[in-house]
Amino acid sequence: MSLHGYRYEFANNQIKSRREEQYNQTFSSLIDAVPHDIMFELANACNHRCFFCALADSTRKAHILDFSLMEKLLRQAFLMGIRSVGMYGCGEPFIVPDLARRVVLAKKIGFTYVYVTTNGGLATKERLREVLDSGLDSLKFSINAGTVATYKEVHGKDDFEKVLDRVRFASTYNKEKLNGRVILSVSCVNSIKNDREIEKLQEILRPYIDEFVAYGMNNQTGHKNNDSIRGSLKSRPQALPCPMIFNRIHIQSEGYISACCEDYQNYLAISDLHFATIENVWKGDVFNNLRVRHLRGDVSGTLCDTCVNGSTSDILPLNDQLYTPFNFNKISSNTNKK
């Protein structure tokens, strides 16, 4: 089944409805800017080097999100009425040694839905036990190939069999120790390398997970030219206004609040939350001005323009104190469209 850039081989209806509600929500005014979800980029580093991912080429300095700052921001978000927390962003969350402790914190504060996406390469059985026991509601493994050889080509690491073993372990532990409480899923970014392997992969994993979904490949908000390596599945169409700036808060590993989950160089970072509150920035002039531009259909000169329209002309940061420069002109404008 295909829907808006996703092909569900089989689906967990809870996750599917959440995903579709988030991405298909419509907006007509600033009054609609009510966040339902907050995503923490715990680290902007990864143990894999997937050939389609812009993080491999990122020049941002590596950071791990400060725990005390995260606690402060979680409490602010909870007071804003948010009850859903994602922990991944552009990097690999299992790089962070105290991942389980952060999930425990979110659940203790009162968040009802906490989810993590991982490539699984660093998710040892011991760490998986800790994270699954922490109160986590959903764990998704990103597996972008169906054979050992293709996996190594795509991920840049020979972790295929290890990751499959971790999925099986998580499934068994979840069923035997947690009564199946944690939703387990696998996602696969479709490319020319795995076009013929997606069905094989989902059949291998079907006994162990609640959902398998294939994603169409995009160009990573203009940071990559992936046109020549796309698979047969089209990516989710990008249109204005983007729901991400109306219904989800994104926290970068430096402690910045950004308008986008694929802000690899912080061109959409708005403020440093060491010195501001989430609510004040969310309702502030910079964020609202960006939303107005989205509602009007004019985002020229912003990273949003590379994402939606494929433009690489005069891309400027929202805050010139927070970004790391990137040469968008090296990527042809006619190949940036998603």
Side-chain angles (χ1 to χ4, degrees):
M1 174 174 56
S2 294
L3 188 61
H4 303 299
Y6 303 109
R7 186 170 78 231
Y8 297 97
E9 307 298 343
F10 50 94
N12 175 277
N13 287 331
Q14 179 182 349
I15 297 178
K16 182 174 180 291
S17 61
R18 285 172 55 86
R19 184 182 291 125
E20 296 303 325
E21 180 180 358
Q22 182 176 53
Y23 288 121
N24 294 335
Q25 190 175 354
T26 58
F27 307 93
S28 59
S29 74
L30 293 179
I31 297 175
D32 297 328
V34 179
H36 306 296
D37 188 43
I38 185 167
M39 179 180 287
F40 288 90
E41 180 191 67
L42 300 185
N44 63 315
C46 189
N47 55 310
H48 284 188
R49 288 292 181 268
C50 293
F51 78 135
F52 57 83
C53 180
L55 186 62
D57 302 318
S58 175
T59 56
R60 278 168 66 196
K61 182 179 178 181
H63 291 85
I64 289 179
L65 182 64
D66 180 73
F67 183 88
S68 60
L69 176 62
M70 183 173 176
E71 179 175 7
K72 182 177 75 171
L73 299 179
L74 280 168
R75 295 188 184 282
Q76 290 178 15
F78 190 81
L79 290 176
M80 293 174 67
I82 297 170
R83 296 296 181 267
S84 174
V85 181
M87 298 186 189
Y88 55 100
C90 294
E92 166 54 46
F94 274 86
I95 280 180
V96 180
D98 60 353
L99 173 59
R101 181 184 176 209
R102 295 176 190 243
V103 177
V104 169
L105 172 64
K107 298 302 289 189
K108 183 177 180 181
I109 289 172
F111 289 91
T112 56
Y113 189 77
V114 181
Y115 58 101
V116 167
T117 293
T118 176
N119 61 47
L122 299 176
T124 64
K125 293 180 180 180
E126 180 180 359
R127 295 201 64 199
L128 277 172
R129 286 191 197 98
E130 293 176 351
V131 171
L132 292 170
D133 285 341
S134 66
L136 189 72
D137 296 286
S138 174
L139 178 63
K140 182 168 70 178
F141 290 86
S142 178
I143 305 174
N144 303 305
T147 63
V148 171
T150 304
Y151 186 96
K152 188 173 181 179
E153 282 188 73
V154 173
H155 284 256
K157 287 290 183 70
D158 188 14
D159 284 346
F160 183 69
E161 295 294 349
K162 177 171 69 174
V163 172
L164 292 187
D165 180 64
R166 298 301 184 259
V167 174
R168 297 184 188 104
F169 172 80
S171 175
T172 300
Y173 189 83
N174 185 40
K175 291 173 183 176
E176 295 182 355
K177 303 295 184 180
L178 303 174
N179 297 315
R181 178 184 56 76
V182 181
I183 300 169
L184 297 178
S185 62
V186 167
S187 67
C188 181
V189 176
N190 181 218
S191 72
I192 58 172
K193 293 183 182 294
N194 66 27
D195 241 347
R196 298 176 182 271
E197 297 182 1
I198 292 178
E199 184 175 346
K200 177 181 180 179
L201 179 63
Q202 63 98 2
E203 286 302 327
I204 292 172
L205 294 169
R206 182 182 284 272
Y208 309 105
I209 58 177
D210 302 296
E211 179 188 71
F212 184 99
V213 57
Y215 298 154
M217 183 183 295
N218 64 35
N219 277 341
Q220 303 280 279
T221 54
H223 291 89
K224 294 280 285 187
N225 177 1
N226 285 333
D227 284 3
S228 64
I229 60 173
R230 296 176 193 265
S232 58
L233 179 61
K234 291 184 178 180
S235 63
R236 180 174 60 86
Q238 303 299 310
L240 298 175
C242 174
M244 295 296 95
I245 65 172
F246 285 86
N247 63 21
R248 187 165 73 185
I249 293 168
H250 306 97
I251 309 298
Q252 304 291 79
S253 57
E254 297 94 337
Y256 306 156
I257 181 171
S258 172
C260 183
C261 60
E262 290 186 356
D263 189 11
Y264 291 98
Q265 301 287 123
N266 285 327
Y267 271 73
L268 292 176
I270 295 172
S271 185
D272 186 340
L273 293 175
H274 289 87
F275 311 106
T277 66
I278 295 175
E279 187 166 17
N280 283 346
V281 179
W282 180 261
K283 296 179 179 179
D285 290 342
V286 176
F287 230 138
N288 279 334
N289 287 340
L290 182 62
R291 293 184 187 109
V292 167
R293 296 186 65 182
H294 272 244
L295 291 168
R296 292 175 177 171
D298 176 18
V299 291
S300 58
T302 71
L303 187 66
C304 302
D305 205 16
T306 71
C307 178
V308 177
N309 299 316
S311 171
T312 57
S313 300
D314 301 320
I315 304 302
L316 297 174
L318 296 183
N319 187 326
D320 61 11
Q321 301 299 309
L322 305 181
Y323 83 119
T324 301
F326 183 83
N327 182 11
F328 290 96
N329 289 322
K330 71 181 180 181
I331 299 175
S332 174
S333 62
N334 64 1
T335 59
N336 264 334
K337 250 185 173 178
K338 291 191 176 185

